[in-house]
Amino acid sequence: MMHGREKSDPAVVAAKPANKAGNPVAEPVERRAGTEGNADQRSTLRTLGRESVAQGLDRIRQAARRSKEIRFTTLLHHVDLDQLREAFCALKRNAAPGVDGVTWQNYESDLDSKLADLKDRVHKGGPYHPLPSRRQYILKQDGRQRPLSVPALEDKIVQRAVQEVLNAIYEADFLGFSYGFRPGRGQHDALDALAAGLRSRKVNWILDADIRSFFDSVSQS
């Protein structure tokens, strides 16, 4: 829902501290004041390498904001021991294990040694191979089943570490009204903004589109 080309309506949602606290170049997050169920996700542990991780990602973020034409070709060195430790600490402790049965608590034992080995395997390229995801199904309201993939814990660590590096690049390209799959923003935040807009502004039209249904219809035609 927009009231201007490629701009979010500042009167619809209340301002919130930026995605990266203390970072002057981070984009402010929009959210309606007083919403429920949108608690911030924070790391479960404070690590010694947090500052170096933040500085490294900040350099990437600033470079991405300075020029839309820049091409990043050497980013793997940012997936270092500190970044992997930060990723591990951000995972849910009670999450279901993957096919290898390794839990957060299992991996925490002798953590530094395991992360050092993981870093070496990731940087060498060949020795690191993601495991197959464990498939789980949850029942939807319409009676269908939604498939869920549960990665192994080491794969979650690597995925999250790489995601943080890529987020630092692509966040510079997102607009204020973009909510999907962004740090600190989710579907509940989008619904909050939509509800606030409908109550406070005159709305002429709303577009509701199901991308999957659209492509299914196109492929069948």
Side-chain angles (χ1 to χ4, degrees), residues 23 25 51-66 70 72 77-78 168:
N23 181 1
V25 298
E51 184 176 352
S52 63
V53 168
Q55 290 175 351
L57 296 180
D58 187 51
R59 288 192 295 271
I60 299 174
R61 190 177 298 109
Q62 290 186 24
R65 288 182 179 273
R66 280 196 302 268
I70 190 172
F72 295 89
H77 65 280
H78 288 284

Side-chain angles (χ1 to χ4, degrees), residues 12-219:
V12 172
V13 284
K16 178 190 178 236
N19 289 347
K20 298 294 184 179
N23 181 1
V25 298
E27 179 183 3
V29 177
E30 297 176 343
R31 182 176 298 171
R32 177 164 58 94
T35 58
E36 297 180 358
N38 294 329
D40 293 334
Q41 295 182 357
R42 299 181 179 178
S43 174
T44 55
L45 296 174
R46 298 290 180 180
T47 63
L48 296 175
R50 180 181 294 271
E51 184 176 352
S52 63
V53 168
Q55 290 175 351
L57 296 180
D58 187 51
R59 288 192 295 271
I60 299 174
R61 190 177 298 109
Q62 290 186 24
R65 288 182 179 273
R66 280 196 302 268
S67 173
K68 299 295 183 181
E69 304 301 323
I70 190 172
R71 294 292 181 266
F72 295 89
T73 57
T74 55
L75 294 171
L76 188 59
H77 65 280
H78 288 284
V79 185
D80 56 13
L81 192 58
D82 289 333
Q83 183 70 58
L84 292 172
R85 184 182 295 106
E86 185 81 359
F88 169 78
C89 293
L91 296 178
K92 294 181 179 179
R93 298 189 182 190
N94 59 346
V99 293
D100 57 357
V102 177
T103 65
W104 194 94
Q105 290 76 14
N106 296 147
Y107 205 84
E108 186 185 23
S109 176
D110 197 19
L111 177 63
D112 288 342
S113 175
K114 292 176 181 175
L115 290 180
D117 175 67
L118 177 60
K119 179 187 74 69
D120 290 341
R121 285 185 281 129
V122 168
H123 281 255
K124 289 177 182 177
Y128 171 72
H129 297 287
L131 294 175
S133 294
R134 184 166 63 89
R135 180 56 57 92
Q136 290 284 93
Y137 292 90
I138 59 174
L139 188 65
K140 300 175 64 174
Q141 291 183 348
D142 60 5
R144 294 183 298 171
Q145 289 187 323
R146 181 191 302 276
L148 294 179
S149 296
V150 183
L153 190 130
E154 268 199 345
D155 297 332
K156 289 181 181 180
I157 296 173
V158 174
Q159 290 171 11
R160 190 177 186 95
V162 173
Q163 175 188 344
E164 289 296 322
V165 175
L166 296 179
N167 277 344
I169 299 173
Y170 292 109
E171 272 292 300
D173 296 328
F174 281 108
L175 302 175
F177 52 80
S178 301
Y179 285 90
F181 302 100
R182 295 182 64 190
R185 301 192 187 195
Q187 66 271 28
H188 296 296
D189 302 303
L191 290 173
D192 287 339
L194 178 62
L198 292 174
R199 293 169 182 168
S200 63
R201 289 298 185 93
K202 180 181 179 180
V203 178
N204 294 324
W205 54 268
I206 296 177
L207 175 63
D208 182 10
D210 188 325
I211 297 177
R212 173 174 293 182
S213 297
F214 170 76
F215 282 108
D216 287 345
S217 62
V218 171
S219 63

